[in-house]
Amino acid sequence: MSSPLYEDDVECSGAAAAEVATTNAAKTPASKPSFLRKWGPALIAVAGVIVVNAILLGPTGSKVPPLSHRQLTAKSMREERTQAVLDMDWDHEADLKRGLHNMQGSRNLSEADGGVMEYTRRRHRFLGEYVHVDVSGEFSLFGKLTITAIYFAFWVFLMFPNWFLPIGRPGIALGGGLSMVVVRYVLLVLGHGPSFDAPKVIILEPLFLLFGLMLTTIYLEKMERGGLFDKLRDSLDDPVNWKRSAKIMLMSTIGSAAVMNDSVVLIFSGVVVDLCVRHKVANSLPYLLSLATTANTGSALTMTGNPQNILIVSLAYDDISWTEFLMNMVIPVTAASIINAVMLFLYYSGELFPGSSGFFECFGIIFSGNRTPEMLAQEHAYHARNVAKQTDVEEQSGGWSIWSKIQIVLITIFLICFAVGLDVCVTSICAGAILMVLAAWKRQHYDPKPQLIEYDAEGNALPPKKMYDMDGNEIEPEEEELVTESETTLTEVDYGLLMLFIGQFILIGSFDDTGVPQGFFSLAMGGCAEQMTSVPCVYWFVLVITILSNVASNVPVVQMLAATFPYATPYDWVQVAFSATIAGNLTMLGSAANMIVAFQAAKVGDRTFTSERHAPFGIPSTILSLYAGTFLLSTIHFAPECSAKLGECDEEA
């Protein structure tokens, strides 16, 4: 069975290129797939979504159900609470002394502190860096059109960076952010727009968390050769292509749920490319997609899996615990993972099941252990290559060293701190700092010192050179300068990725100020705006979230929803978290993890992971996973559909 994308994506090198060319020539001449063959599944998936929503809501939205008594009551309570908060007197200086401290601590304020009303007031005052302030009315039409044009221009640059100057996505995003700051100032001077507080739209928590996780994972990787990280890396290898892809998907799913998807793909993108080179695969795209798509899907499982989930639990009006989030996500994420894996195997059956002749034979290979002649040849070649290395590998791997055991203990503590609800940013940075100190001590007191010995042309060691001063006295050699962490491991932190996030925050923050994304959301939702997570509106809602997440990115979409619906229920936020995360698989720009995979793979010479090759698989896979998971989440969930702090749950009781 041949993949509809296989011929278009093949990028061969060396012996693999010759072998694939010979095989294809023996069968049928290679031809570029037609438009319908390549984009047909995506077009069918998009048409299916439109048909489903038209059936549920009517072609013009005429079937949108009226608001129920519970929804009308909740709407009234939200409006009353907002008005009461706005009417309250407030002392900014007193709030700075007591309110900010409480906002950073427990949400369960005592009655002495004003209880829920005081919490609501402080939330409005002190979450200014998160709660969007509507300034769209201060823009002229020219100002809105200018900002929108700049945003979409840089969106195109980020989507297709190789079409223009070779600047790279971090440089493009940062340039776009700086351009937006300059243009906003010009608009302010000309009277076409308000002032722009750029630092206010840069969300620090995802940046802190990403830096901490990069620091932690880099030190786990670099601390010891042949240690814990190398053992994990070697476990991904397998002579059977589909098993290797399945191992990558399993590792990526579990790792992303535990330590955030961006850090997982940051480290393992190069590993996946190395495995492809080692096995001389003709097309590395299915393996990179195995990593990227499951990293996004798996990250939806926990509140620490990605930046938007972390932001959601920070912005939610009611508390959402780590375990509550996990319990709600297990079923839909499992279903989405299975759908994504099955579609990946189908799309790339030519690469993952070489020699297979059809759909049913592929499943027979998976479940009955059958082998095609091509697969047997690959296994024999793999084992033949490893016979010579086996002895050396056994000698080098002397079991679990003390450093590997220390790493396991630190990782266990790290995950426990996440699970009990400690601040994820502080936890990740502390873990990285501890590993940094441990690595520095290991290098200074434990690792063997490098021997700076020079040799002659015949390989004989030369005596150390002696130096003399003007009077003929021997000059004592200076002590060897210590190599610091700043010169070694810390240089491997991907600061360009942090610049990419900062630039995107500025670009999208300015775009949100125009009110265009919010206007699109209100217009698109129509009568479903006040019942967005109720059936049948929820299916239209997740489609709108998917589009916005790929146009304006998922983190800013969460910011926008928090400003538009400040009293959203825990179930509302769980549904947003699932749809915004799965939507990241739709296009290359839908998720930072996708861009990290492309960026890291390109750094080691693999440029197969592009927007044009991602979308034909990403669109149908994302739509099927999203709608199946949404159906399961709307049917089986444990998060309340009412706000306890607002008093909605008391009304229902």
Side-chain angles (χ1 to χ4, degrees):
M1 178 178 177
S2 177
S3 163
L5 307 180
Y6 180 69
E7 294 88 343
D8 185 45
D9 292 332
V10 170
E11 294 198 3
C12 303
S13 60
E19 182 179 351
V20 171
T22 303
T23 304
N24 288 342
K27 295 181 179 179
T28 56
S31 61
K32 187 175 181 180
S34 65
F35 176 85
L36 288 178
R37 187 180 180 192
K38 180 177 180 181
W39 292 97
L43 294 175
I44 293 173
V46 172
V49 168
I50 296 174
V51 170
V52 167
N53 283 282
I55 293 173
L56 293 175
L57 302 175
T60 60
S62 57
K63 294 183 180 180
V64 175
L67 295 180
S68 64
H69 174 71
R70 179 184 66 83
Q71 292 168 336
L72 289 171
T73 303
K75 180 181 179 181
S76 175
M77 295 177 69
R78 293 167 186 171
E79 292 172 351
E80 291 175 3
R81 175 64 56 84
T82 300
Q83 190 59 46
V85 169
L86 295 177
D87 292 341
M88 289 175 67
D89 294 329
W90 62 286
D91 186 339
H92 184 65
E93 184 176 349
D95 282 346
L96 286 176
K97 293 179 179 178
R98 62 172 185 168
L100 187 60
H101 171 73
N102 281 327
M103 282 305 303
Q104 293 175 338
S106 173
R107 295 181 174 201
N108 300 318
L109 303 184
S110 65
E111 289 303 320
D113 288 326
V116 174
M117 284 297 291
E118 182 66 11
Y119 162 73
T120 309
R121 182 168 69 90
R122 295 178 192 179
R123 182 176 186 272
H124 277 259
R125 301 299 181 193
F126 289 104
L127 291 183
E129 66 269 29
Y130 300 121
V131 178
H132 177 73
V133 178
D134 186 9
V135 294
S136 59
E138 301 178 37
F139 281 93
S140 66
L141 178 61
F142 173 78
K144 289 185 178 182
L145 292 176
T146 301
I147 297 301
T148 303
I150 292 174
Y151 173 79
F152 278 104
F154 279 96
W155 184 85
V156 173
F157 296 159
L158 286 169
M159 180 70 83
F160 308 105
N162 297 328
W163 285 11
F164 306 97
L165 295 176
I167 299 175
R169 286 190 174 92
I172 292 172
L174 195 58
L178 295 176
S179 300
M180 193 67 82
V181 172
V182 173
V183 171
R184 286 292 297 269
Y185 177 74
V186 173
L187 292 176
L188 174 65
V189 172
L190 297 178
H192 288 285
S195 61
F196 181 44
D197 189 358
K200 195 173 184 179
V201 300
I202 300 175
I203 307 175
L204 297 180
E205 273 74 3
L207 298 177
F208 292 154
L209 180 61
L210 186 58
F211 174 77
L213 290 173
M214 284 193 292
L215 193 66
T216 301
T217 50
I218 287 172
Y219 273 105
L220 288 174
E221 179 187 18
K222 301 295 182 181
M223 180 176 288
E224 182 185 20
R225 187 176 182 86
L228 175 64
F229 210 89
D230 287 335
K231 288 181 172 62
L232 177 60
R233 178 184 303 173
D234 292 338
S235 69
L236 298 178
D237 198 4
D238 196 282
V240 181
N241 291 359
W242 74 266
K243 287 185 178 180
R244 191 160 63 250
S245 175
K247 287 182 178 180
I248 293 172
M249 287 191 279
L250 181 62
M251 178 279 303
S252 181
T253 301
I254 297 175
S256 297
V259 295
M260 190 171 164
N261 57 353
D262 294 343
S263 60
V264 170
V265 298
L266 185 70
I267 296 300
F268 283 97
S269 297
V271 174
V272 172
V273 174
D274 179 66
L275 288 174
C276 293
V277 172
R278 186 184 307 176
H279 290 272
K280 299 179 181 179
V281 301
N283 180 20
S284 63
L285 184 61
Y287 304 96
L288 293 173
L289 281 172
S290 298
L291 177 67
T293 56
T294 52
N296 288 325
T297 305
S299 69
L301 194 60
T302 63
M303 56 186 270
T304 53
N306 53 59
Q308 64 267 20
N309 286 359
I310 296 167
L311 194 58
I312 281 173
V313 296
S314 301
L315 298 179
Y317 189 66
D318 293 84
D319 296 323
I320 303 176
S321 67
W322 195 88
T323 52
E324 180 185 6
F325 195 98
L326 175 65
M327 289 172 60
N328 283 276
M329 288 296 193
V330 166
I331 295 176
V333 168
T334 301
S337 299
I338 294 173
I339 291 172
N340 182 77
V342 171
M343 290 198 64
L344 189 72
F345 286 164
L346 291 178
Y347 259 71
Y348 296 98
S349 58
E351 170 64 37
L352 301 178
F353 302 92
S356 61
S357 59
F359 174 83
F360 293 103
E361 185 176 1
C362 293
F363 277 86
I365 290 172
I366 294 175
F367 295 108
S368 64
N370 297 333
R371 298 285 192 275
T372 64
E374 290 82 355
M375 296 173 68
L376 289 173
Q378 287 181 343
E379 290 189 49
H380 294 158
Y382 172 83
H383 293 301
R385 286 196 308 268
N386 289 344
V387 167
K389 301 178 183 178
Q390 194 67 32
T391 305
D392 295 337
V393 171
E394 290 177 356
E395 291 177 356
Q396 291 176 5
S397 65
W400 294 91
S401 68
I402 182 64
W403 307 108
S404 297
K405 295 176 182 177
I406 291 174
Q407 287 178 337
I408 293 174
V409 171
L410 287 176
I411 292 173
T412 303
I413 296 174
F414 176 73
L415 296 177
I416 291 174
C417 291
F418 270 11
V420 299
L422 297 183
D423 188 280
V424 291
C425 302
V426 175
T427 301
S428 59
I429 292 177
C430 287
I434 293 172
L435 287 169
M436 179 178 65
V437 172
L438 186 63
W441 185 89
K442 175 179 177 289
R443 189 177 67 250
Q444 183 176 5
H445 299 287
Y446 186 85
D447 292 346
K449 303 296 180 184
Q451 300 294 326
L452 302 177
I453 301 176
E454 296 183 357
Y455 298 88
D456 59 17
E458 298 178 355
N460 300 316
L462 297 175
K465 294 181 179 179
K466 295 183 179 181
M467 302 182 66
Y468 300 89
D469 59 17
M470 297 290 291
D471 298 328
N473 301 317
E474 183 179 351
I475 300 176
E476 294 292 333
E478 297 181 0
E479 290 187 9
E480 182 183 349
E481 185 177 353
L482 292 176
V483 179
T484 65
E485 294 300 309
S486 300
E487 299 170 304
T488 54
T489 311
L490 283 179
T491 61
E492 299 193 28
V493 173
D494 196 345
Y495 299 102
L497 182 61
L498 299 178
M499 294 297 103
L500 173 66
F501 271 87
I502 292 173
Q504 280 195 312
F505 282 144
I506 297 175
L507 270 171
I508 297 161
S510 179
F511 184 47
D512 282 344
D513 281 350
T514 64
V516 173
Q518 296 91 321
F520 170 79
F521 181 82
S522 299
L523 179 64
M525 290 302 296
C528 285
E530 294 295 335
Q531 47 181 329
M532 54 188 182
T533 57
S534 300
V535 178
C537 287
V538 65
Y539 297 104
W540 180 249
F541 171 68
V542 297
L543 178 61
V544 174
I545 292 298
T546 300
I547 296 172
L548 285 176
S549 295
N550 283 271
V551 173
S553 189
N554 39 31
V555 170
V557 167
V558 170
Q559 288 179 267
M560 181 198 72
L561 290 175
T564 310
F565 304 100
Y567 305 108
T569 67
Y571 168 66
D572 293 339
W573 280 121
V574 168
Q575 196 67 260
V576 169
F578 178 77
S579 56
T581 302
I582 302 300
N585 286 331
L586 190 76
T587 66
M588 176 75 82
L589 281 188
S591 166
N594 294 337
M595 291 187 285
I596 294 172
V597 170
F599 185 67
Q600 294 297 109
K603 283 172 63 176
V604 293
D606 190 317
R607 291 177 173 81
T608 59
F609 196 75
T610 62
S611 300
E612 300 94 326
R613 291 170 177 167
H614 177 281
F617 169 78
I619 292 174
S621 173
T622 300
I623 290 176
L624 285 178
S625 301
L626 184 66
Y627 271 67
T630 299
F631 170 76
L632 292 171
L633 184 57
S634 61
T635 305
I636 306 172
H637 58 268
F638 308 98
E641 298 183 35
C642 56
S643 172
K645 284 188 179 294
L646 194 60
E648 296 176 16
C649 300
D650 297 335
E651 289 290 328
E652 291 186 2

